[in-house]
Amino acid sequence: MGFAEFVGNERIVAALRRMLASGRMPHALLFTGPRGVGKYLLARMFAQAANCEQLPDDFCGECTHCRSIAGLADLGPLLEAALAERGDAPDAATVERMPLILQTHPDVWVLVPDPVRRHNPVAWPAIRMGQLRAVQRAAYFRPLARRRVFIIDGAETMRWDYANIFLKVLEEPPDTATLILLAPTPDTLLPTIQSRCLKFHFAPLTVEQVEQLLKQKTGLKPAERRLAAQLAAGSPGVAMTLDLEESARVRRELLQLIEAALEGRAGPDTFALTEQLSRRQKEGLENLLELFYSLLRDLLELSCDPNGASVRNPDLRAELERVAPRVTVEWVARATGELDKFHARLRRNINRQLGLDAWVAASAAR
Ligand SMILES: [Zn+2]
């Protein structure tokens, strides 16, 4: 038990422990880094250590506080219950009046982007005004244990005009509370928020570290562990939840789409494929685009250096090598640019299939 279980980013762990030991706690922390790299896990561990009855700069995992905060390990059931309580089709006012707050200990709150509905989540879940107002009020309450900790996951989804509510808390911080914001990169947050947070950037783990974790926590075979670790690009959280078969299917379909664009086969020819891809709800759109980028990068590298290049999609190496000779640097630049445009429109609730069709049409080699 304790911080020793956290793998990777040792310097961040050491810095947090020094703060805990000195008793000089920051009012706001900003954890940035790729999805699944351990930002949330370390934030939860920090909340345990800040309230542990036994240890000053670590957590025992056994005292009342440690155990009840450990209930935040799996947010799925808590989220499900909170959404159920609000009803299946809440209106906008209800969503704000009953803010989504996940907790298993009175001093530790987790905020996640609000998907509004249980079964048909909105396309772009976001942190809501009601959630921020609730934090603003609760931050000044005296803690039951030692410290109130508010973890805001997906802080980048906060609207910038709402973010000003936050500034008030950050400008007159209560002594007994710490806010921990989690986001992929600092520049997704207002500069005024960034500058009031102590920032820590989480680096990806090595393939070997991820493999080791998979060995401890999953029943995967060695070859599967290796592949999952490679595909996850240093994020144990991604590797742990990866469905290898499904992932290979999706990436093969994306590669077919890339081939179609290379051959200039946009339109009716590719509609079946984009329809199929847009139905794969399990892969979030954001994730789908990540896979798309990784395939384009592999093709670019293989087209420049067919023998070298360690590809990001080793299980598709043969297929990638077949397509790579037809790829040019100019084409990849154009296709990537079109993908960036698609990505930028995500927030506006665009239709997946139309977005993919538009990409094929715009990237079709002429
Ligand atoms: Zn404890």
Side-chain angles (χ1 to χ4, degrees), residues 36-54:
V37 77
K39 304 186 294 294
Y40 174 71
L41 176 59
L42 195 58
R44 198 198 82 220
M45 287 179 161
F46 176 86
Q48 285 177 297
N51 288 299
C52 179
E53 286 170 2
Q54 308 282 338

Side-chain angles (χ1 to χ4, degrees), residues 267-277 353:
D269 256 14
T270 55
F271 287 164
L273 200 53
T274 55
E275 193 195 354
Q276 203 173 331
L277 271 165
Q353 191 183 353

